[in-house]
Amino acid sequence: MCDVFGNEENMQAYVQELGKTSLCKAVDGAGCSDKEKDFIAKWTGKDGVAAQLARLQGMSSGKMKPELKKWLSQRIAILKQLEIPKEEL
């Protein structure tokens, strides 16, 4: 491991933030935290996913604490997965 990131968690968080990606898979919950699984359960099959995604993306440029920015990015990644039409999966 390089000295810049210190540990694997820091490197993973950096890659996810810059890549705007997540290890959490909304389809089966693999790699998701309990908080992410609750969010998936709340939004799976619901209308308004696109509107919620647009709302969260609008918030992403604002100032917020690092942990809130991380949760915002996680929710955006999940909603992007839920927004994909079922035929494409």
Side-chain angles (χ1 to χ4, degrees), residues 46-78:
K46 281 187 114 178
D47 292 333
V49 171
Q52 179 72 353
L53 180 58
R55 185 182 80 81
L56 293 178
Q57 287 174 328
M59 292 172 54
S60 65
S61 61
K63 288 186 95 175
M64 61 187 79
K65 294 180 180 179
E67 60 270 8
L68 293 177
K69 188 148 186 95
K70 179 182 176 186
W71 175 230
L72 178 69
S73 297
Q74 290 170 322
R75 290 183 291 166
I76 289 171
I78 290 168

Side-chain angles (χ1 to χ4, degrees), residues 30-49:
C32 301
S33 68
D34 289 338
K35 190 174 184 180
E36 289 170 313
K37 288 178 184 176
D38 290 342
F39 187 77
I40 291 167
K42 177 181 176 180
W43 283 97
T44 299
K46 281 187 114 178
D47 292 333
V49 171

Side-chain angles (χ1 to χ4, degrees), residues 1-15:
M1 184 61 54
C2 70
D3 294 332
V4 175
F5 295 106
N7 62 35
E8 190 172 333
E9 287 179 11
N10 289 342
M11 181 178 282
Q12 182 178 331
Y14 178 77
V15 170

